[in-house]
Amino acid sequence: MAEFGHLSGRVRLPTGHLTVCGCVAIRGGDEGSDWLDFYVPLGALDKAGVAYWDGRPFFRSDVMDEWLAAIGTETFTSTSFSLGVIGFEVSGCTDASAPAGRMPKTRDIGYLLPRGGVLHYGAANT
């Protein structure tokens, strides 16, 4: 992925709409972690009629969060990872050591956290 830089494409949203998306690999180097960012631009969500702001801090869509969690869960079946985060502009907001293997009780972002080879999803709850 890193060799291709920033990729653009199309994806079918949970609403059935086909829309644009993007993906970029961010290498952390020797000391850091690697990130794979997948996103759908807000303008594309607008055009698809996906509500993503309900007055809570940050943009959030429970429908999109669940959909992204399902993508992460499917990805985990073939490529394990130590942490996945779901939300608005979450790249670099935490690292795999921060939750110390435990799902945070209060979450302003969604977490995909493996334990015992099984991926667990904790939706944002604040």
Side-chain angles (χ1 to χ4, degrees), residues 29-125:
D30 293 338
E31 298 297 318
S33 60
D34 296 333
W35 288 80
L36 181 62
D37 284 356
F38 172 79
Y39 65 91
V40 177
L42 294 179
L45 294 177
D46 284 338
K47 286 183 180 180
V50 176
Y52 56 82
W53 191 72
D54 62 3
R56 294 183 282 183
F58 306 108
F59 297 112
R60 184 172 298 145
S61 165
D62 294 336
V63 169
M64 290 298 294
D65 287 359
E66 293 288 331
W67 178 71
L68 291 167
I71 291 171
T73 299
E74 182 63 28
T75 301
F76 189 76
T77 64
S78 60
T79 305
S80 65
F81 49 84
S82 53
L83 177 66
V85 290
I86 296 172
F88 182 72
E89 295 188 358
V90 295
S91 181
C93 68
T94 188
D95 61 49
S97 65
R102 293 182 161 352
M103 186 68 67
K105 289 183 183 191
T106 302
R107 300 177 296 274
D108 57 357
I109 60 175
Y111 282 82
L112 293 168
L113 191 60
R115 274 192 321 249
V118 176
L119 191 65
H120 299 272
Y121 173 53
N125 60 11

